[in-house]
Amino acid sequence: SKQKVAEDDYQTLSLDSFEVAADWYHYAILSLLELPEAKFEAKWIAQRLGISPFNAKLAMERLQRLEMVAQDEEGRWRQSGKPIKIDNAISTVATKKFHKQLLELAAVSIDRDPVSMRNFSSMTFTLDPSQMEYAKKRLRDFRRELVAELEVKGQPSNVYNFTMQLYPVTQVNQKKD
């Protein structure tokens, strides 16, 4: 069943807040907290994400300070509010860093993970640059709908990252941001 995901199903994280929590693992921690066995403990988070306990502890503190996590009625730590979208109409040092980290993680996955646990595919084609806004909207809608479906299918036990790229491979004579 195709799930429609509306814009107001997401909370917008300001670029200022994103600057504080731009490393990829902040958002992976939020997703980890959805797992039944989740522990809001630096050692457990570090082990599950392959990061240092020190970075896990700092990220946990940032998420609390930004009020992106809170304890529920049973005392379990959970993401506060709706799923997050970043207000990224402009490119910043933080957004560039974040996307580069995700691409580096994808490159590691190619060598580390069996093909049964990952998917990499691409298409090269021609595109009228005036259609980029249309393409971005379609990609955003598809990404959100697919993730909404997959998050409730079966029994999720791992955190995945779904990263899509659409970029020119021909040389473009435009201002770089």
Side-chain angles (χ1 to χ4, degrees):
S1 75
K2 189 175 178 181
Q3 288 193 269
K4 267 297 197 202
V5 181
E7 266 310 294
D8 60 2
D9 287 342
Y10 289 81
Q11 63 176 318
T12 301
L13 186 65
S14 72
L15 281 174
D16 289 340
S17 294
F18 182 72
E19 294 275 344
V20 175
D23 289 299
W24 69 271
Y25 46 82
H26 292 90
Y27 307 95
I29 290 170
L30 295 176
S31 291
L32 265 180
L33 295 177
E34 297 302 314
L35 299 177
E37 73 275 15
K39 298 176 187 160
F40 197 59
E41 299 169 0
K43 184 178 176 183
W44 185 83
I45 290 169
Q47 187 261 333
R48 287 302 309 261
L49 298 180
I51 63 175
S52 73
F54 178 75
N55 281 341
K57 183 178 184 326
L58 290 179
M60 291 165 60
E61 291 169 358
R62 278 186 209 104
L63 292 171
Q64 287 175 287
R65 193 169 56 250
L66 292 170
E67 299 179 355
M68 294 170 72
V69 293
Q71 285 182 295
D72 65 15
E73 314 76 55
E74 289 98 45
R76 286 192 52 152
W77 286 92
R78 299 275 189 200
Q79 177 175 332
S80 303
K82 300 174 183 174
I84 294 168
K85 68 178 183 176
I86 309 302
D87 180 18
N88 65 345
I90 60 169
S91 185
T92 67
V93 171
T95 58
K96 288 177 184 179
K97 172 186 172 185
F98 178 72
H99 288 290
K100 286 178 183 178
Q101 287 178 345
L102 295 180
L103 291 171
E104 289 166 8
L105 287 171
V108 167
S109 178
I110 289 172
D111 294 324
R112 181 192 65 203
D113 302 320
V115 74
S116 63
M117 294 200 57
R118 61 176 173 81
N119 177 270
F120 286 79
S121 60
S122 66
M123 295 180 73
T124 304
F125 64 101
T126 60
L127 172 71
D128 177 343
S130 71
Q131 297 304 306
M132 274 305 288
E133 285 309 310
Y134 172 77
K136 288 178 183 182
K137 181 186 180 321
R138 289 285 312 246
L139 290 168
R140 183 193 68 229
D141 292 347
F142 169 72
R143 185 182 69 236
R144 289 178 178 174
E145 289 168 8
L146 180 62
V147 168
E149 286 178 37
L150 293 174
E151 284 185 321
V152 297
K153 282 183 155 306
Q155 297 179 340
S157 59
N158 287 304
V159 175
Y160 273 72
N161 183 284
F162 179 31
T163 305
M164 297 189 301
Q165 300 87 35
L166 176 62
Y167 57 91
V169 294
T170 49
Q171 298 301 305
V172 181
N173 296 326
Q174 291 183 339
K175 181 185 172 292
K176 199 175 145 188
D177 64 287

